[in-house]
Amino acid sequence: MKTAFITGITGQDGSYLAEHLLNLGYKVVAMMRRSATPDTSRFAHIEDRLTICHGDLLDQSSLMRLLAEYKPDEIYNLAAQSFVHASFHEPIHTSEVTGLGVMRMLEAVRLQAPEARFYQASSSEMFGDVFETPQRETTPFHPRSPYGVAKVYGHFATVNYRESYDMFACSGILFNHESPRRGLEFVTRKISDHVAAIAFGETNQLALGNLDARRDWGFAGDYVRGMHLMLQHATADDYVLSTGTTQSVREFCRIAFAHVGLNYEDYVVVNPKFFRPAEVELLLGDSSKAKNVLGWVPEIDFQGLVEMMVDADLKRRLVMGNRPTRGSLPEGLV
Ligand code: NAP
Ligand code: G4F
């Protein structure tokens, strides 16, 4: 039985990846950091099948100790301070975790598990002020936030360890991927949760920032399959994962509100406090390398993703016995 080691298990991708690897027959060792109020809700349904351990990307010794103890075959470094907006307020912390944290992981792998295959969660935010559209593996980077800068550091650290030490180290350049388990501060989940809250009469308004920003949004469950495929290939390399379509925040709102029979223009207001000092205006990925080399293709389309997220936030309220007061429930939920 192969052993996989995942950092970031409490986050969105950690939970989907752990599910996927358990289904494939892996022993999954999952790292979380110490917290006074640990949130295990995203993986509670599989917790009894995981080996949970404690470590922190800020603490080199904990990473060394864990890799020495578990000697994993595959290592997925998903942990990060991943919220772009917060990275403007906490640039040093973001650099420490999201940037230098990758170097700490790579050092721990080099010294304790050099034969392990390593996956680094890189990001389309590295493209930032894009040089070309669509963006692919060869597109130059121009990050627009401390988060993006830290991810570029992590990306090149991964490439450098592959080239310097012949380590099997891959960087997955993933475009935005979402799900009902997405954190509430990210725009897609903020919208889906507010649509449900508005339909149930809990609030009357959704305050957002830049409605014209465009993203290439896919489903997280599809993207974790791609992470695993990268580590199964004969050689280590870097891959873009994306859907190849782009939509605006406004379009996400339109579809999400329409799903419950409402018009987003009646509820959405713009509040400049959600603007960023520098914005990434457009992301659109070309994942043909992942398709051709790994056989990876995403299965959930944009409309399906929006409806899945809104349905989940509606269901959460329905199972609590609440009833909607505005709009109409989608057919499957009536
Ligand atoms: P997420 O939900 O924000 O999860 C981040 C995880 O990192 C959480 O488990 C968090 O733990 C953990 N973490 C934060 N600081 C840590 C530290 N010092 N030591 C150990 N763990 C720490 O992010 P996600 O959406 O699942 O994304 C997974 C990875 O992919 C991230 O690296 C992200 O930057 C990258 N990425 C995401 C996307 C996307 O669209 N989702 C796209 C491209 C790349 P706590 O719960 O304790 O905070
Ligand atoms: O949902 P977001 O916060 O995601 P963002 O900044 O694209 O970053 C996510 O995707 C990256 C991959 O490209 C990951 F690396 C990163 O870890 C994270 O998962 O914002 C998306 C867009 C932005 O242009 C933002 O300005 O939505 C715009 N937006 C408009 N109003 C808003 C809001 N974003 C948030 N979070 N909240 C708003 O009220």
Side-chain angles (χ1 to χ4, degrees), residues 82-84 123-125 147 174-176 178 182 185-188 190 207-211 213 215 217 249 274 276 279-280 283:
S82 79
F83 188 33
V84 173
S123 167
S124 52
E125 273 292 305
Y147 170 83
L174 271 49
F175 283 64
N176 299 52
E178 319 291 317
R182 186 60 142 150
E185 68 273 41
F186 297 95
V187 76
T188 56
K190 181 173 171 182
L208 293 172
N210 180 6
L211 299 183
R215 290 290 181 276
W217 277 298
V249 172
F274 297 111
R276 295 169 182 187
E279 176 64 288
V280 174
L283 290 175

PDB file of all heavy atoms in Angstrom, residues 82-84 123-125 147 174-176 178 182 185-188 190 207-211 213 215 217 249 274 276 279-280 283, ligand 2:
ATOM      1  N   SER A  82      -3.745  31.207   1.673  1.00  0.00           N
ATOM      2  CA  SER A  82      -4.157  31.146   0.268  1.00  0.00           C
ATOM      3  C   SER A  82      -5.099  32.267  -0.158  1.00  0.00           C
ATOM      4  O   SER A  82      -5.531  32.295  -1.312  1.00  0.00           O
ATOM      5  CB  SER A  82      -4.825  29.797  -0.015  1.00  0.00           C
ATOM      6  OG  SER A  82      -6.149  29.811   0.456  1.00  0.00           O
ATOM      7  N   PHE A  83      -5.445  33.177   0.753  1.00  0.00           N
ATOM      8  CA  PHE A  83      -6.404  34.230   0.407  1.00  0.00           C
ATOM      9  C   PHE A  83      -5.638  35.471  -0.071  1.00  0.00           C
ATOM     10  O   PHE A  83      -4.923  36.113   0.699  1.00  0.00           O
ATOM     11  CB  PHE A  83      -7.282  34.533   1.620  1.00  0.00           C
ATOM     12  CG  PHE A  83      -8.425  35.474   1.333  1.00  0.00           C
ATOM     13  CD1 PHE A  83      -9.072  35.487   0.096  1.00  0.00           C
ATOM     14  CD2 PHE A  83      -8.878  36.345   2.305  1.00  0.00           C
ATOM     15  CE1 PHE A  83     -10.121  36.354  -0.165  1.00  0.00           C
ATOM     16  CE2 PHE A  83      -9.936  37.218   2.058  1.00  0.00           C
ATOM     17  CZ  PHE A  83     -10.551  37.218   0.827  1.00  0.00           C
ATOM     18  N   VAL A  84      -5.813  35.786  -1.352  1.00  0.00           N
ATOM     19  CA  VAL A  84      -5.045  36.862  -1.989  1.00  0.00           C
ATOM     20  C   VAL A  84      -5.254  38.194  -1.269  1.00  0.00           C
ATOM     21  O   VAL A  84      -4.301  38.914  -0.967  1.00  0.00           O
ATOM     22  CB  VAL A  84      -5.430  36.976  -3.476  1.00  0.00           C
ATOM     23  CG1 VAL A  84      -4.770  38.194  -4.113  1.00  0.00           C
ATOM     24  CG2 VAL A  84      -5.047  35.699  -4.226  1.00  0.00           C
ATOM     25  N   SER A 123       0.041  28.325  -8.549  1.00  0.00           N
ATOM     26  CA  SER A 123      -1.230  29.022  -8.810  1.00  0.00           C
ATOM     27  C   SER A 123      -1.195  29.885 -10.063  1.00  0.00           C
ATOM     28  O   SER A 123      -0.169  30.496 -10.401  1.00  0.00           O
ATOM     29  CB  SER A 123      -1.527  29.920  -7.608  1.00  0.00           C
ATOM     30  OG  SER A 123      -2.564  30.828  -7.911  1.00  0.00           O
ATOM     31  N   SER A 124      -2.358  30.007 -10.695  1.00  0.00           N
ATOM     32  CA  SER A 124      -2.501  30.916 -11.837  1.00  0.00           C
ATOM     33  C   SER A 124      -2.312  32.377 -11.419  1.00  0.00           C
ATOM     34  O   SER A 124      -2.107  33.242 -12.282  1.00  0.00           O
ATOM     35  CB  SER A 124      -3.873  30.733 -12.487  1.00  0.00           C
ATOM     36  OG  SER A 124      -4.899  30.820 -11.520  1.00  0.00           O
ATOM     37  N   GLU A 125      -2.379  32.661 -10.102  1.00  0.00           N
ATOM     38  CA  GLU A 125      -2.095  34.023  -9.629  1.00  0.00           C
ATOM     39  C   GLU A 125      -0.675  34.445 -10.009  1.00  0.00           C
ATOM     40  O   GLU A 125      -0.359  35.633 -10.028  1.00  0.00           O
ATOM     41  CB  GLU A 125      -2.240  34.095  -8.112  1.00  0.00           C
ATOM     42  CG  GLU A 125      -3.646  34.373  -7.627  1.00  0.00           C
ATOM     43  CD  GLU A 125      -4.141  35.765  -7.961  1.00  0.00           C
ATOM     44  OE1 GLU A 125      -3.459  36.736  -7.605  1.00  0.00           O
ATOM     45  OE2 GLU A 125      -5.207  35.890  -8.584  1.00  0.00           O
ATOM     46  N   TYR A 147       0.773  37.315  -2.198  1.00  0.00           N
ATOM     47  CA  TYR A 147       0.482  35.884  -2.377  1.00  0.00           C
ATOM     48  C   TYR A 147       1.081  35.381  -3.691  1.00  0.00           C
ATOM     49  O   TYR A 147       1.762  34.343  -3.725  1.00  0.00           O
ATOM     50  CB  TYR A 147      -1.040  35.669  -2.374  1.00  0.00           C
ATOM     51  CG  TYR A 147      -1.465  34.274  -2.800  1.00  0.00           C
ATOM     52  CD1 TYR A 147      -1.478  33.208  -1.910  1.00  0.00           C
ATOM     53  CD2 TYR A 147      -1.861  34.025  -4.127  1.00  0.00           C
ATOM     54  CE1 TYR A 147      -1.864  31.935  -2.310  1.00  0.00           C
ATOM     55  CE2 TYR A 147      -2.253  32.761  -4.537  1.00  0.00           C
ATOM     56  CZ  TYR A 147      -2.250  31.714  -3.627  1.00  0.00           C
ATOM     57  OH  TYR A 147      -2.624  30.456  -4.037  1.00  0.00           O
ATOM     58  N   LEU A 174      -2.409  25.662 -10.937  1.00  0.00           N
ATOM     59  CA  LEU A 174      -3.849  25.453 -10.988  1.00  0.00           C
ATOM     60  C   LEU A 174      -4.609  26.774 -11.033  1.00  0.00           C
ATOM     61  O   LEU A 174      -4.335  27.699 -10.263  1.00  0.00           O
ATOM     62  CB  LEU A 174      -4.308  24.627  -9.772  1.00  0.00           C
ATOM     63  CG  LEU A 174      -4.266  23.097  -9.991  1.00  0.00           C
ATOM     64  CD1 LEU A 174      -2.951  22.620 -10.554  1.00  0.00           C
ATOM     65  CD2 LEU A 174      -4.679  22.342  -8.765  1.00  0.00           C
ATOM     66  N   PHE A 175      -5.554  26.835 -11.951  1.00  0.00           N
ATOM     67  CA  PHE A 175      -6.471  27.969 -12.014  1.00  0.00           C
ATOM     68  C   PHE A 175      -7.545  27.756 -10.939  1.00  0.00           C
ATOM     69  O   PHE A 175      -7.644  26.686 -10.356  1.00  0.00           O
ATOM     70  CB  PHE A 175      -7.052  28.081 -13.437  1.00  0.00           C
ATOM     71  CG  PHE A 175      -6.058  28.703 -14.408  1.00  0.00           C
ATOM     72  CD1 PHE A 175      -4.869  28.059 -14.702  1.00  0.00           C
ATOM     73  CD2 PHE A 175      -6.306  29.937 -14.986  1.00  0.00           C
ATOM     74  CE1 PHE A 175      -3.926  28.640 -15.566  1.00  0.00           C
ATOM     75  CE2 PHE A 175      -5.387  30.532 -15.854  1.00  0.00           C
ATOM     76  CZ  PHE A 175      -4.193  29.886 -16.140  1.00  0.00           C
ATOM     77  N   ASN A 176      -8.337  28.811 -10.704  1.00  0.00           N
ATOM     78  CA  ASN A 176      -9.305  28.780  -9.591  1.00  0.00           C
ATOM     79  C   ASN A 176     -10.175  27.533  -9.652  1.00  0.00           C
ATOM     80  O   ASN A 176     -10.748  27.222 -10.703  1.00  0.00           O
ATOM     81  CB  ASN A 176     -10.228  30.006  -9.654  1.00  0.00           C
ATOM     82  CG  ASN A 176      -9.468  31.306  -9.526  1.00  0.00           C
ATOM     83  OD1 ASN A 176      -8.504  31.537 -10.249  1.00  0.00           O
ATOM     84  ND2 ASN A 176      -9.900  32.151  -8.622  1.00  0.00           N
ATOM     85  N   GLU A 178     -13.229  25.524  -7.218  1.00  0.00           N
ATOM     86  CA  GLU A 178     -14.208  25.860  -6.186  1.00  0.00           C
ATOM     87  C   GLU A 178     -15.041  24.633  -5.852  1.00  0.00           C
ATOM     88  O   GLU A 178     -14.971  23.614  -6.534  1.00  0.00           O
ATOM     89  CB  GLU A 178     -15.132  26.972  -6.728  1.00  0.00           C
ATOM     90  CG  GLU A 178     -14.425  28.056  -7.519  1.00  0.00           C
ATOM     91  CD  GLU A 178     -13.515  28.945  -6.675  1.00  0.00           C
ATOM     92  OE1 GLU A 178     -13.927  29.328  -5.580  1.00  0.00           O
ATOM     93  OE2 GLU A 178     -12.382  29.256  -7.133  1.00  0.00           O
ATOM     94  N   ARG A 182     -15.481  25.336  -0.330  1.00  0.00           N
ATOM     95  CA  ARG A 182     -14.653  26.519  -0.492  1.00  0.00           C
ATOM     96  C   ARG A 182     -14.849  27.439   0.721  1.00  0.00           C
ATOM     97  O   ARG A 182     -15.973  27.575   1.233  1.00  0.00           O
ATOM     98  CB  ARG A 182     -15.100  27.236  -1.772  1.00  0.00           C
ATOM     99  CG  ARG A 182     -14.275  28.410  -2.190  1.00  0.00           C
ATOM    100  CD  ARG A 182     -12.841  28.050  -2.460  1.00  0.00           C
ATOM    101  NE  ARG A 182     -12.290  28.778  -3.594  1.00  0.00           N
ATOM    102  CZ  ARG A 182     -11.003  29.089  -3.694  1.00  0.00           C
ATOM    103  NH1 ARG A 182     -10.142  28.746  -2.749  1.00  0.00           N
ATOM    104  NH2 ARG A 182     -10.560  29.696  -4.772  1.00  0.00           N
ATOM    105  N   GLU A 185     -14.748  33.269   2.446  1.00  0.00           N
ATOM    106  CA  GLU A 185     -14.206  34.570   2.056  1.00  0.00           C
ATOM    107  C   GLU A 185     -13.916  34.652   0.556  1.00  0.00           C
ATOM    108  O   GLU A 185     -13.769  35.751   0.006  1.00  0.00           O
ATOM    109  CB  GLU A 185     -12.943  34.902   2.879  1.00  0.00           C
ATOM    110  CG  GLU A 185     -11.720  34.030   2.600  1.00  0.00           C
ATOM    111  CD  GLU A 185     -11.673  32.756   3.417  1.00  0.00           C
ATOM    112  OE1 GLU A 185     -12.738  32.114   3.593  1.00  0.00           O
ATOM    113  OE2 GLU A 185     -10.576  32.364   3.857  1.00  0.00           O
ATOM    114  N   PHE A 186     -13.823  33.522  -0.135  1.00  0.00           N
ATOM    115  CA  PHE A 186     -13.557  33.550  -1.586  1.00  0.00           C
ATOM    116  C   PHE A 186     -14.854  33.918  -2.319  1.00  0.00           C
ATOM    117  O   PHE A 186     -15.951  33.573  -1.875  1.00  0.00           O
ATOM    118  CB  PHE A 186     -13.021  32.188  -2.055  1.00  0.00           C
ATOM    119  CG  PHE A 186     -11.714  31.846  -1.411  1.00  0.00           C
ATOM    120  CD1 PHE A 186     -11.663  31.057  -0.269  1.00  0.00           C
ATOM    121  CD2 PHE A 186     -10.518  32.343  -1.922  1.00  0.00           C
ATOM    122  CE1 PHE A 186     -10.449  30.768   0.350  1.00  0.00           C
ATOM    123  CE2 PHE A 186      -9.304  32.060  -1.304  1.00  0.00           C
ATOM    124  CZ  PHE A 186      -9.271  31.266  -0.170  1.00  0.00           C
ATOM    125  N   VAL A 187     -14.718  34.570  -3.471  1.00  0.00           N
ATOM    126  CA  VAL A 187     -15.890  35.227  -4.050  1.00  0.00           C
ATOM    127  C   VAL A 187     -16.995  34.241  -4.434  1.00  0.00           C
ATOM    128  O   VAL A 187     -18.180  34.535  -4.249  1.00  0.00           O
ATOM    129  CB  VAL A 187     -15.486  36.151  -5.234  1.00  0.00           C
ATOM    130  CG1 VAL A 187     -15.178  35.361  -6.498  1.00  0.00           C
ATOM    131  CG2 VAL A 187     -16.556  37.187  -5.483  1.00  0.00           C
ATOM    132  N   THR A 188     -16.639  33.072  -4.953  1.00  0.00           N
ATOM    133  CA  THR A 188     -17.680  32.140  -5.407  1.00  0.00           C
ATOM    134  C   THR A 188     -18.552  31.667  -4.249  1.00  0.00           C
ATOM    135  O   THR A 188     -19.774  31.659  -4.329  1.00  0.00           O
ATOM    136  CB  THR A 188     -17.050  30.905  -6.071  1.00  0.00           C
ATOM    137  OG1 THR A 188     -16.138  30.309  -5.134  1.00  0.00           O
ATOM    138  CG2 THR A 188     -16.318  31.272  -7.339  1.00  0.00           C
ATOM    139  N   LYS A 190     -18.760  33.089  -1.313  1.00  0.00           N
ATOM    140  CA  LYS A 190     -19.427  34.252  -0.718  1.00  0.00           C
ATOM    141  C   LYS A 190     -20.745  34.489  -1.451  1.00  0.00           C
ATOM    142  O   LYS A 190     -21.791  34.736  -0.847  1.00  0.00           O
ATOM    143  CB  LYS A 190     -18.501  35.481  -0.821  1.00  0.00           C
ATOM    144  CG  LYS A 190     -19.065  36.746  -0.215  1.00  0.00           C
ATOM    145  CD  LYS A 190     -18.007  37.849  -0.226  1.00  0.00           C
ATOM    146  CE  LYS A 190     -18.592  39.194   0.166  1.00  0.00           C
ATOM    147  NZ  LYS A 190     -17.577  40.270   0.101  1.00  0.00           N
ATOM    148  N   ALA A 207     -22.562  42.501  -0.710  1.00  0.00           N
ATOM    149  CA  ALA A 207     -21.568  43.541  -1.038  1.00  0.00           C
ATOM    150  C   ALA A 207     -20.316  42.883  -1.592  1.00  0.00           C
ATOM    151  O   ALA A 207     -19.707  42.025  -0.944  1.00  0.00           O
ATOM    152  CB  ALA A 207     -21.231  44.354   0.209  1.00  0.00           C
ATOM    153  N   LEU A 208     -19.947  43.294  -2.816  1.00  0.00           N
ATOM    154  CA  LEU A 208     -18.781  42.711  -3.493  1.00  0.00           C
ATOM    155  C   LEU A 208     -17.831  43.819  -3.946  1.00  0.00           C
ATOM    156  O   LEU A 208     -18.182  45.000  -3.884  1.00  0.00           O
ATOM    157  CB  LEU A 208     -19.230  41.889  -4.711  1.00  0.00           C
ATOM    158  CG  LEU A 208     -20.030  40.622  -4.428  1.00  0.00           C
ATOM    159  CD1 LEU A 208     -20.560  40.040  -5.745  1.00  0.00           C
ATOM    160  CD2 LEU A 208     -19.179  39.579  -3.694  1.00  0.00           C
ATOM    161  N   GLY A 209     -16.667  43.419  -4.437  1.00  0.00           N
ATOM    162  CA  GLY A 209     -15.696  44.360  -4.984  1.00  0.00           C
ATOM    163  C   GLY A 209     -15.810  44.437  -6.500  1.00  0.00           C
ATOM    164  O   GLY A 209     -16.858  44.806  -7.049  1.00  0.00           O
ATOM    165  N   ASN A 210     -14.733  44.046  -7.184  1.00  0.00           N
ATOM    166  CA  ASN A 210     -14.652  44.178  -8.635  1.00  0.00           C
ATOM    167  C   ASN A 210     -15.498  43.115  -9.354  1.00  0.00           C
ATOM    168  O   ASN A 210     -15.120  41.952  -9.419  1.00  0.00           O
ATOM    169  CB  ASN A 210     -13.167  44.042  -9.036  1.00  0.00           C
ATOM    170  CG  ASN A 210     -12.950  44.166 -10.525  1.00  0.00           C
ATOM    171  OD1 ASN A 210     -13.876  44.455 -11.282  1.00  0.00           O
ATOM    172  ND2 ASN A 210     -11.704  43.942 -10.932  1.00  0.00           N
ATOM    173  N   LEU A 211     -16.627  43.541  -9.913  1.00  0.00           N
ATOM    174  CA  LEU A 211     -17.544  42.592 -10.570  1.00  0.00           C
ATOM    175  C   LEU A 211     -17.047  42.192 -11.956  1.00  0.00           C
ATOM    176  O   LEU A 211     -17.552  41.241 -12.554  1.00  0.00           O
ATOM    177  CB  LEU A 211     -18.935  43.211 -10.709  1.00  0.00           C
ATOM    178  CG  LEU A 211     -19.657  43.605  -9.428  1.00  0.00           C
ATOM    179  CD1 LEU A 211     -21.042  44.141  -9.750  1.00  0.00           C
ATOM    180  CD2 LEU A 211     -19.777  42.407  -8.483  1.00  0.00           C
ATOM    181  N   ALA A 213     -13.832  41.414 -12.795  1.00  0.00           N
ATOM    182  CA  ALA A 213     -12.694  40.484 -12.820  1.00  0.00           C
ATOM    183  C   ALA A 213     -13.160  39.168 -13.425  1.00  0.00           C
ATOM    184  O   ALA A 213     -14.271  38.704 -13.147  1.00  0.00           O
ATOM    185  CB  ALA A 213     -12.169  40.266 -11.407  1.00  0.00           C
ATOM    186  N   ARG A 215     -12.309  35.029 -14.177  1.00  0.00           N
ATOM    187  CA  ARG A 215     -11.527  33.879 -13.735  1.00  0.00           C
ATOM    188  C   ARG A 215     -11.916  32.646 -14.541  1.00  0.00           C
ATOM    189  O   ARG A 215     -13.032  32.533 -15.058  1.00  0.00           O
ATOM    190  CB  ARG A 215     -11.795  33.570 -12.248  1.00  0.00           C
ATOM    191  CG  ARG A 215     -11.234  34.610 -11.264  1.00  0.00           C
ATOM    192  CD  ARG A 215      -9.717  34.565 -11.227  1.00  0.00           C
ATOM    193  NE  ARG A 215      -9.146  35.520 -10.290  1.00  0.00           N
ATOM    194  CZ  ARG A 215      -8.901  36.813 -10.553  1.00  0.00           C
ATOM    195  NH1 ARG A 215      -9.201  37.315 -11.750  1.00  0.00           N
ATOM    196  NH2 ARG A 215      -8.347  37.594  -9.647  1.00  0.00           N
ATOM    197  N   TRP A 217     -12.857  29.281 -13.754  1.00  0.00           N
ATOM    198  CA  TRP A 217     -13.304  28.567 -12.554  1.00  0.00           C
ATOM    199  C   TRP A 217     -13.668  27.112 -12.856  1.00  0.00           C
ATOM    200  O   TRP A 217     -14.518  26.850 -13.717  1.00  0.00           O
ATOM    201  CB  TRP A 217     -14.568  29.230 -11.984  1.00  0.00           C
ATOM    202  CG  TRP A 217     -14.342  30.414 -11.096  1.00  0.00           C
ATOM    203  CD1 TRP A 217     -13.671  30.446  -9.909  1.00  0.00           C
ATOM    204  CD2 TRP A 217     -14.847  31.751 -11.291  1.00  0.00           C
ATOM    205  NE1 TRP A 217     -13.726  31.713  -9.355  1.00  0.00           N
ATOM    206  CE2 TRP A 217     -14.434  32.534 -10.191  1.00  0.00           C
ATOM    207  CE3 TRP A 217     -15.609  32.365 -12.287  1.00  0.00           C
ATOM    208  CZ2 TRP A 217     -14.759  33.873 -10.049  1.00  0.00           C
ATOM    209  CZ3 TRP A 217     -15.923  33.702 -12.146  1.00  0.00           C
ATOM    210  CH2 TRP A 217     -15.502  34.448 -11.042  1.00  0.00           C
ATOM    211  N   VAL A 249     -17.051  37.864 -12.401  1.00  0.00           N
ATOM    212  CA  VAL A 249     -17.747  37.745 -11.113  1.00  0.00           C
ATOM    213  C   VAL A 249     -19.238  38.064 -11.319  1.00  0.00           C
ATOM    214  O   VAL A 249     -20.121  37.405 -10.772  1.00  0.00           O
ATOM    215  CB  VAL A 249     -17.109  38.706 -10.081  1.00  0.00           C
ATOM    216  CG1 VAL A 249     -17.919  38.759  -8.798  1.00  0.00           C
ATOM    217  CG2 VAL A 249     -15.656  38.308  -9.813  1.00  0.00           C
ATOM    218  N   PHE A 274     -13.704  45.942  -0.815  1.00  0.00           N
ATOM    219  CA  PHE A 274     -13.313  44.625  -1.341  1.00  0.00           C
ATOM    220  C   PHE A 274     -12.399  44.729  -2.566  1.00  0.00           C
ATOM    221  O   PHE A 274     -12.015  43.716  -3.137  1.00  0.00           O
ATOM    222  CB  PHE A 274     -14.559  43.788  -1.654  1.00  0.00           C
ATOM    223  CG  PHE A 274     -15.375  43.487  -0.420  1.00  0.00           C
ATOM    224  CD1 PHE A 274     -16.627  44.068  -0.240  1.00  0.00           C
ATOM    225  CD2 PHE A 274     -14.873  42.670   0.576  1.00  0.00           C
ATOM    226  CE1 PHE A 274     -17.371  43.817   0.909  1.00  0.00           C
ATOM    227  CE2 PHE A 274     -15.608  42.411   1.732  1.00  0.00           C
ATOM    228  CZ  PHE A 274     -16.854  42.985   1.897  1.00  0.00           C
ATOM    229  N   ARG A 276      -8.808  45.408  -4.449  1.00  0.00           N
ATOM    230  CA  ARG A 276      -7.429  45.091  -4.066  1.00  0.00           C
ATOM    231  C   ARG A 276      -6.489  46.182  -4.549  1.00  0.00           C
ATOM    232  O   ARG A 276      -6.763  46.804  -5.587  1.00  0.00           O
ATOM    233  CB  ARG A 276      -7.034  43.738  -4.664  1.00  0.00           C
ATOM    234  CG  ARG A 276      -7.886  42.649  -4.061  1.00  0.00           C
ATOM    235  CD  ARG A 276      -7.798  41.311  -4.734  1.00  0.00           C
ATOM    236  NE  ARG A 276      -8.727  40.411  -4.046  1.00  0.00           N
ATOM    237  CZ  ARG A 276      -8.841  39.127  -4.267  1.00  0.00           C
ATOM    238  NH1 ARG A 276      -8.079  38.544  -5.165  1.00  0.00           N
ATOM    239  NH2 ARG A 276      -9.703  38.393  -3.591  1.00  0.00           N
ATOM    240  N   GLU A 279      -5.031  44.399  -9.014  1.00  0.00           N
ATOM    241  CA  GLU A 279      -5.992  43.342  -9.356  1.00  0.00           C
ATOM    242  C   GLU A 279      -5.453  42.451 -10.479  1.00  0.00           C
ATOM    243  O   GLU A 279      -4.668  42.912 -11.330  1.00  0.00           O
ATOM    244  CB  GLU A 279      -7.311  43.995  -9.784  1.00  0.00           C
ATOM    245  CG  GLU A 279      -8.418  43.066 -10.271  1.00  0.00           C
ATOM    246  CD  GLU A 279      -8.950  42.082  -9.234  1.00  0.00           C
ATOM    247  OE1 GLU A 279      -8.212  41.139  -8.911  1.00  0.00           O
ATOM    248  OE2 GLU A 279     -10.095  42.250  -8.769  1.00  0.00           O
ATOM    249  N   VAL A 280      -5.844  41.200 -10.465  1.00  0.00           N
ATOM    250  CA  VAL A 280      -5.645  40.307 -11.613  1.00  0.00           C
ATOM    251  C   VAL A 280      -6.965  40.344 -12.382  1.00  0.00           C
ATOM    252  O   VAL A 280      -7.975  39.830 -11.918  1.00  0.00           O
ATOM    253  CB  VAL A 280      -5.310  38.873 -11.139  1.00  0.00           C
ATOM    254  CG1 VAL A 280      -5.256  37.919 -12.323  1.00  0.00           C
ATOM    255  CG2 VAL A 280      -3.990  38.868 -10.373  1.00  0.00           C
ATOM    256  N   LEU A 283      -8.021  35.805 -16.035  1.00  0.00           N
ATOM    257  CA  LEU A 283      -7.287  34.536 -16.096  1.00  0.00           C
ATOM    258  C   LEU A 283      -8.047  33.568 -16.999  1.00  0.00           C
ATOM    259  O   LEU A 283      -9.270  33.440 -16.898  1.00  0.00           O
ATOM    260  CB  LEU A 283      -7.115  33.923 -14.696  1.00  0.00           C
ATOM    261  CG  LEU A 283      -6.148  34.660 -13.759  1.00  0.00           C
ATOM    262  CD1 LEU A 283      -6.154  34.044 -12.369  1.00  0.00           C
ATOM    263  CD2 LEU A 283      -4.731  34.690 -14.333  1.00  0.00           C
TER     264      LEU A 283
HETATM  265  O1  G4F B   2     -12.299  34.344  -4.967  1.00  0.00           O
HETATM  266  P1  G4F B   2     -11.096  35.209  -4.936  1.00  0.00           P
HETATM  267  O2  G4F B   2     -10.728  35.781  -3.626  1.00  0.00           O
HETATM  268  O3  G4F B   2      -9.940  34.355  -5.591  1.00  0.00           O
HETATM  269  P2  G4F B   2      -8.541  34.750  -6.257  1.00  0.00           P
HETATM  270  O4  G4F B   2      -8.054  36.056  -5.783  1.00  0.00           O
HETATM  271  O5  G4F B   2      -8.694  34.572  -7.725  1.00  0.00           O
HETATM  272  O6  G4F B   2      -7.580  33.624  -5.656  1.00  0.00           O
HETATM  273  C1  G4F B   2      -7.974  32.255  -5.626  1.00  0.00           C
HETATM  274  O7  G4F B   2      -7.559  31.633  -6.821  1.00  0.00           O
HETATM  275  C2  G4F B   2      -6.139  31.585  -7.012  1.00  0.00           C
HETATM  276  C3  G4F B   2      -5.898  30.899  -8.356  1.00  0.00           C
HETATM  277  O8  G4F B   2      -5.929  31.859  -9.391  1.00  0.00           O
HETATM  278  C4  G4F B   2      -5.528  30.818  -5.868  1.00  0.00           C
HETATM  279  F1  G4F B   2      -4.186  30.704  -6.060  1.00  0.00           F
HETATM  280  C5  G4F B   2      -5.821  31.531  -4.564  1.00  0.00           C
HETATM  281  O9  G4F B   2      -5.292  30.771  -3.478  1.00  0.00           O
HETATM  282  C6  G4F B   2      -7.333  31.621  -4.396  1.00  0.00           C
HETATM  283  O10 G4F B   2      -7.837  30.316  -4.242  1.00  0.00           O
HETATM  284  O11 G4F B   2     -11.291  36.431  -5.943  1.00  0.00           O
HETATM  285  C7  G4F B   2     -11.618  36.222  -7.299  1.00  0.00           C
HETATM  286  C8  G4F B   2     -11.935  37.578  -7.967  1.00  0.00           C
HETATM  287  C9  G4F B   2     -10.876  38.659  -7.697  1.00  0.00           C
HETATM  288  O12 G4F B   2     -10.622  39.350  -8.892  1.00  0.00           O
HETATM  289  C10 G4F B   2     -11.530  39.593  -6.702  1.00  0.00           C
HETATM  290  O13 G4F B   2     -11.106  40.944  -6.784  1.00  0.00           O
HETATM  291  O14 G4F B   2     -13.144  38.068  -7.392  1.00  0.00           O
HETATM  292  C11 G4F B   2     -12.985  39.459  -7.132  1.00  0.00           C
HETATM  293  N1  G4F B   2     -13.934  39.858  -6.092  1.00  0.00           N
HETATM  294  C12 G4F B   2     -14.917  40.773  -6.257  1.00  0.00           C
HETATM  295  N2  G4F B   2     -15.577  40.937  -5.109  1.00  0.00           N
HETATM  296  C13 G4F B   2     -13.956  39.425  -4.827  1.00  0.00           C
HETATM  297  C14 G4F B   2     -15.001  40.095  -4.190  1.00  0.00           C
HETATM  298  N3  G4F B   2     -13.201  38.512  -4.165  1.00  0.00           N
HETATM  299  C15 G4F B   2     -13.496  38.251  -2.877  1.00  0.00           C
HETATM  300  N4  G4F B   2     -12.789  37.309  -2.218  1.00  0.00           N
HETATM  301  N5  G4F B   2     -14.486  38.910  -2.209  1.00  0.00           N
HETATM  302  C16 G4F B   2     -15.275  39.863  -2.831  1.00  0.00           C
HETATM  303  O15 G4F B   2     -16.172  40.451  -2.222  1.00  0.00           O
END
